[in-house]
Amino acid sequence: MTGRLVVLASGTGTNLQAIVDACSTNVLAADVVAVISNNCDALALQRARNAGIEAVCLEKEQGEPRRDYDTRLAAQVSQFNPDYVVLAGWMLLLSANFLDHVGCPVINLHPALPGELPGINSIERAHSEAIRGERARSGVMVHFVPDEGVDNGPVIATVEIPVSAQDSLEDFTERVHEAEHKLLVDALIQLCN
Ligand code: GAR
């Protein structure tokens, strides 16, 4: 069975790239059928075009209520008939207007362990806590998004990453990114292969 994936990405798209590479080498039995971004300048869209994948920019209009945007987003995603929607660096909160109408499971990648550091700048916050001696490990998780909870939902896969006061933010960030590229692909293999 081959899974049809629609990837939502707001930024650089290194995790999208990991998925695309895993598909093209048949490590992952799936196809990325579209990449959608809320940011027309996102490098993720360029990565999609480079790989011959449909790249869609769907920006939120000024003053547009979040729920109206989510209705438009769900309609756009549904056109691609995906088996899974993958949030790979998607930085907008998704409301029920999206989740209840998209018609397939939604999977999120978050650079922290379940129940810890939801929202933005999780890597920086974990590192600051380590510097203060309050944290000795963080991690990465991939989980289903059943509702409007932020970076919260049934866990598919996690990996712990040690962090210490001696780590530079750059080194720790690099370790987290490496771990998430692998974990996201492994989680999708679990679901699709
Ligand atoms: C990743 O670190 C991802 O875990 C994070 O955004 C980054 C995107 O990187 N997502 C969140 O923080 C979601 N709450 P990428 O654009 O290079 O894939």
Side-chain angles (χ1 to χ4, degrees):
M1 181 201 147
T2 297
R4 292 173 62 82
L5 309 179
V6 168
V7 177
L8 304 191
S10 303
T12 315
T14 63
N15 285 284
L16 163 69
Q17 192 68 56
I19 298 170
V20 168
D21 292 348
C23 292
S24 67
T25 52
N26 293 323
V27 169
L28 172 59
D31 289 312
V32 179
V33 294
V35 174
I36 302 177
S37 184
N38 62 307
N39 167 14
C40 293
D41 298 326
L43 185 53
L45 290 176
Q46 193 54 49
R47 289 179 190 272
R49 290 183 204 107
N50 292 347
I53 295 165
E54 187 146 355
V56 179
C57 170
L58 193 73
E59 285 191 327
K60 193 164 168 293
E61 283 159 23
Q62 201 152 15
E64 181 181 23
R66 185 159 69 92
R67 284 167 200 281
D68 292 357
Y69 175 76
D70 285 356
T71 300
R72 287 202 291 133
L73 182 63
Q76 177 71 75
V77 169
S78 307
Q79 285 183 14
F80 293 102
N81 196 22
D83 295 306
Y84 296 100
V85 169
V86 183
L87 310 181
W90 178 255
M91 301 315 270
L92 295 181
L93 297 176
L94 291 172
S95 66
N97 283 31
F98 178 81
L99 297 167
D100 295 350
H101 295 100
V102 71
C104 70
V106 177
I107 291 152
N108 183 42
L109 167 71
H110 184 61
L113 292 170
E116 297 184 4
L117 303 165
I120 61 170
N121 300 329
S122 309
I123 300 174
E124 291 82 351
R125 285 185 284 146
H127 183 257
S128 300
E129 289 179 12
I131 296 290
R132 295 198 298 268
E134 296 164 6
R135 172 179 292 276
R137 56 111 185 87
S138 187
V140 174
M141 71 168 155
V142 179
H143 65 93
F144 288 110
V145 184
D147 56 32
E148 295 187 7
V150 178
D151 297 318
N152 185 24
V155 172
I156 301 166
T158 61
V159 63
E160 287 197 8
I161 303 168
V163 59
S164 82
Q166 279 69 51
D167 281 320
S168 70
L169 176 59
E170 291 68 29
D171 287 349
F172 176 57
T173 302
E174 195 177 317
R175 287 213 304 281
V176 172
H177 286 322
E178 251 174 49
E180 57 187 3
H181 297 161
K182 182 171 186 318
L183 192 77
L184 181 56
V185 168
D186 286 350
L188 290 170
I189 288 173
Q190 259 189 62
L191 296 170
C192 297
N193 283 32

